[in-house]
Amino acid sequence: MIDVNAHVLLIYTGGTIGMIENLETGALEPFNFTHLRSNVPEMKRLNFHVDTFIFDPLIDSSEISPDKWREMVKVVKDHYSQYDGFVILHGTDTMSYTASALSFMFDNLTKPIILTGSQLPIGKLRTDGKENLITALEIAADKDVDGRPVVPEVCIYFQNLLLRGNRTTKINAENFNAFKSANFMELAEAGVNIVYNTSKILKPNYTKEVAFYESLDDSIAVLKIFPGITPEVLTAVLNIHDIKAVVLETYGSGNALSDDWFLAELQRAVDRDIVIVNVTQCLHGTVQMHRYETGQNLLKAGVISGYDLTTEAAIAKLMFLFGLNKLPNQVRELMQVSLRGEMDTDEA
Ligand code: ASP
């Protein structure tokens, strides 16, 4: 139920939702918040309080970086006690990366952080931005019968679905249903009513404080294997100066080529204490390294399973764990445990 005394902070970082067309170049460019707000007069009719925090400069989300994630954490941290929930307006291109990173940067989160945006600018007649924005604000203000936030998680709300942020991937550059949580059910669906899957929502410990983490280590690489990958490509990536971890995107249930050069190079990297995490290129399903001989070979070389982690969440989790100065062995261990509901380690 909406708490009429609720205060929500709307953090505007940029993205298509607030963009307008540059008449000279035809390109969409970020525009100011007054433009955005004047296109959503419905916001005045919300029966709770909404304040705004605007990033300067506003950015296209393809320019997002760990520095921007730190800025977002800082804004939430500085305003945490004053607000009941937070909505972050963000471009869709990297929204899943941001949602994944933020999910790790708050521990024992006791308030909702809902990311949303749109595929069409808010000034367009057919925009999807209005519904996304209004419903995200309502979810951020929603309380249960005990007066606690219904969804104290980092989520993405987009086209009627509320998804756990670190389970999402952008799957569509055209349609309004831009995001998918392929391996975890939605936390809510907004129809005539907003129906929550309460049993799936993380429950914080309200007697404990939330912890904010601003340090991330970006000594990470992603390597997508493909038929025809050469030793030069693999060697180049695994020998990047100061690299600490590689997210290895493999086929199907975690399979890759079994050529000696491939396995030996991976083994050498593991011996140098580089953490190699196996995630699947498939949208649905999980890595099962025991299932095929090719997967077992990776396991023998010291590659660890990322189970059903998305690439976005794997990157964010590695940056977070190395940001905590964990040793490679501790990182390997923690990569196999769900910290924020980001993975299911059951291979079945
Ligand atoms: N390029 C835009 C961005 O991510 C796309 C969008 O918002 O949908 O900022």
Side-chain angles (χ1 to χ4, degrees), residues 14-17 19 59-62 90-94 118-119 170:
T16 296
I17 191 160
M19 289 185 184
I59 53 164
D60 185 298
S61 80
S62 40
H90 193 289
T92 59
D93 287 344
T94 59
S118 68
Q119 294 281 61
K170 182 173 178 181

Side-chain angles (χ1 to χ4, degrees), residues 92 119 169-179:
T92 59
Q119 294 281 61
T169 297
K170 182 173 178 181
I171 48 129
N172 211 318
E174 167 70 22
N175 294 350
F176 288 155
N177 60 341
F179 294 93

